[in-house]
Amino acid sequence: EAGVTQSPTHLIKTRGQQATLRCSPISGHTSVYWYQQALGLGLQFLLWYDEGEERNRGNFPPRFSGRQFPNYSSELNVNALELEDSALYLCASKSGTLEAFFGQGTRLTVV
Amino acid sequence: SQQGEEDPQALSIQEGENATMNCSYKTSINNLQWYRQNSGRGLVHLILIRSNEREKHSGRLRVTLDTSKKSSSLLITASRAADTASYFCATTQPGSGGSYIPTFGRGTSLIVHP
């Protein structure tokens, strides 16, 4: 069974540009979570999607947005990139209250 | 804000020794989970303990949960160099809205010297 897959693995963007990150959950999982992990820090919750709808978002500005598609895959969009957006972005999927399964992450570098 | 806080922030031990990491949290939980992260990669789920459980084992891992103290510990016995990684605890809280969002601490960085 395939795990959570994220693409791309690495992404380099220029300040002010937009970045799109993608995530495919484990088959059967309807919930997708996005986290930001800046260098040396813990995981900061970004967004939670379930059954195609945004259920909750963390303390991030509106230029962080996303969506979940009918097949439960998800996109994270970051507009007007700033240098401090450079981080590892992790996607996780889960079913109900059980453990979350993470992808390998997308390393976003803003220059 | 962080729900869970791991302690210590960093731990350096010799191969064969035991490693103990602690996690404290602030509010009631549904369950608590421990994850491992190798060098800036994705997180790997290690073990989940429910709020009505006190201890769980998985191989060389032993997790305890004390809901009265709002704390958990992860013990890795007979550590190996391959255990070198960052370890995070995550909790999910009961209630509506954000009840299923795993909330992470800042992690403990473990180095096991061969």
Side-chain angles (χ1 to χ4, degrees), chain A residues 33 35 37 44 48 97 100, chain B residues 2 31 35 37 41 97 100 102:
Chain A
Y33 302 80
Y35 291 87
Q37 186 180 29
Q44 300 294 320
W48 170 32
T97 60
Chain B
Q2 304 292 134
N31 60 59
Y35 291 83
Q37 184 180 38
R41 299 178 64 87
Y100 300 133

Side-chain angles (χ1 to χ4, degrees), chain A residues 11-81:
Chain A
L11 188 59
I12 300 176
K13 290 285 188 177
T14 303
R15 190 170 47 183
Q17 286 187 317
Q18 179 200 41
T20 298
L21 288 64
R22 298 179 177 82
C23 173
S24 292
I26 290 174
S27 177
H29 287 188
T30 62
S31 279
V32 170
Y33 302 80
W34 287 95
Y35 291 87
Q36 181 196 65
Q37 186 180 29
L39 189 63
L41 298 180
L43 280 73
Q44 300 294 320
F45 167 68
L46 266 167
L47 289 160
W48 170 32
Y49 292 96
D50 184 58
E51 297 284 358
E53 296 198 7
E54 182 181 304
R55 301 294 183 180
N56 209 326
R57 67 180 292 129
N59 188 25
F60 281 85
R63 57 191 186 82
F64 287 84
S65 65
R67 54 180 171 168
Q68 187 178 34
F69 299 98
N71 65 355
Y72 304 118
S73 66
S74 177
E75 272 184 2
L76 173 68
N77 295 294
V78 187
N79 294 321
L81 284 165

